[in-house]
Amino acid sequence: MTILVVGGSGFLGSELVRQARAAGHTTVATYATEPGAASPSAWCPLDLRDGSLDAVMAEVNPRVIINASSRHADWAVTAEGPLQLAKVAARRGARLVHTSTDAVFSGVGRAHYDESCLPDPVTPYGAAKAAAETGVLALHPKAVVARTSLIIGHGRSVHERLVHQLAAGTVDGALFTDDIRCPVHVSDLAAALLELASSDATGMRHLAGSDALSRHDLGVLIAERDGLDASRLPTALRADSVVPGALDVRLDSRATQRQLRTTLRGAREFLNPADQALSADPA
């Protein structure tokens, strides 16, 4: 099976490439600026804003497309780009799995969000991702839209790097104690996305870890795993901050988890310092 990983040079995309190749799939990955560290069967440059998608699809002819790309609040890439993917995938009869985020929710008025909950974003990034969700499912009703949370793993995530920087005092900032998420390990997330891609699942799916943690609690777990002094991690309240963002957003992934062989572990498990094998870089 030929799989096209859009955004294959990114953190999640690289893990998707690794696992897809390990499973024996022909795996082509795209990049916007330069190839990443992953080793797909082939790399293809792709800018979803410039109309090159048709040529890439004709060359690769994938059976499955997994979209792991995003450019924060860039509307053309984050909101409109996935619609181009959905249109081309539907026209060519290709399976599409599009990754989304818990940032489509505000965390106001409720904390637990299952797949039936409607987006109410409070940031431009969340709004762009919410628009993409709606458009993808409208244009490709057999697609999967998979919302996830903070992605952690192998010391390479933005959250892990920030904890190291804060503990070393090399950057300013703080970890919010009132900003709650359900972190997921990148290996679990990639495995679940590939499993959904090879199934007949459609529609909205939630893929987040089983533990709800504040960003500070998550930082403490990362520090303890990596032998850092967790007491050096500054704290703050998002409610008192000028930085926009949702507060308590806990993705309820139980419905999707029941349909998967892949276990979406909680952060307390995959960041347990007693089990370094789960945190080691597989490369």
Side-chain angles (χ1 to χ4, degrees):
M1 179 168 69
T2 300
I3 298 177
L4 177 65
V5 179
V6 178
S9 59
F11 179 47
L12 174 58
S14 295
E15 180 65 12
L16 284 164
V17 169
R18 187 190 71 81
Q19 292 193 25
R21 286 296 304 276
H25 300 299
T26 299
T27 307
V28 179
T30 75
Y31 63 92
T33 54
E34 61 182 7
S39 299
S41 307
W43 283 104
C44 284
L46 176 64
D47 188 330
L48 291 172
R49 300 167 297 182
D50 66 7
S52 60
L53 179 59
D54 279 314
V56 170
M57 290 288 287
E59 178 182 354
V60 176
N61 192 27
R63 180 178 172 186
V64 170
I65 304 166
I66 303 179
N67 181 27
S69 69
S70 183
R71 194 169 292 176
H72 302 291
D74 185 323
W75 190 267
V77 174
T78 304
E80 296 175 359
L83 307 193
Q84 301 305 314
L85 278 175
K87 285 191 289 187
V88 174
R91 186 169 68 244
R92 299 180 67 91
R95 183 117 171 91
L96 175 63
V97 177
H98 169 71
T99 57
S100 191
T101 171
D102 56 9
V104 301
F105 298 121
S106 70
V108 175
R110 65 183 303 151
H112 298 274
Y113 292 84
D114 64 21
E115 288 88 345
S116 68
C117 294
L118 298 178
D120 61 338
V122 294
T123 64
Y125 171 66
K129 295 295 277 188
E133 290 183 353
T134 301
V136 164
L137 291 178
L139 293 166
H140 195 333
K142 293 184 179 180
V144 170
V145 171
R147 293 183 182 131
T148 192
S149 190
L150 305 181
I151 308 174
I152 308 296
H154 313 315
R156 295 201 300 264
S157 71
V158 63
H159 316 288
E160 290 161 287
R161 295 198 304 269
L162 176 61
V163 168
H164 278 252
Q165 293 166 339
L166 290 172
T170 57
V171 298
D172 294 327
L175 298 175
F176 296 126
T177 58
D178 59 343
D179 183 329
I180 312 297
R181 296 295 186 274
C182 294
V184 64
H185 196 282
V186 65
S187 295
D188 297 346
L189 177 58
L193 289 169
L194 288 165
E195 191 174 338
L196 287 172
S198 63
S199 74
D200 58 1
T202 61
M204 192 66 63
R205 306 286 165 162
H206 283 183
L207 298 175
S210 54
D211 292 334
L213 300 168
S214 72
R215 290 181 185 262
H216 178 256
D217 289 339
L218 175 62
V220 169
L221 289 176
I222 292 169
E224 291 175 344
R225 181 200 65 184
D226 296 345
L228 306 175
D229 184 356
S231 69
R232 293 181 57 84
L233 300 176
T235 63
L237 293 172
R238 183 179 283 282
D240 295 337
S241 170
V242 297
V243 179
L247 290 175
D248 192 339
V249 178
R250 311 181 192 202
L251 290 187
D252 183 345
S253 303
R254 290 176 296 178
T256 299
Q257 178 66 90
R258 286 193 290 269
Q259 300 175 30
L260 296 174
R261 298 184 304 275
T262 302
T263 298
L264 299 166
R265 295 170 290 160
R268 292 186 181 90
E269 178 180 352
F270 66 70
L271 290 173
N272 186 340
D275 195 349
Q276 291 297 320
L278 291 179
S279 300
D281 189 337

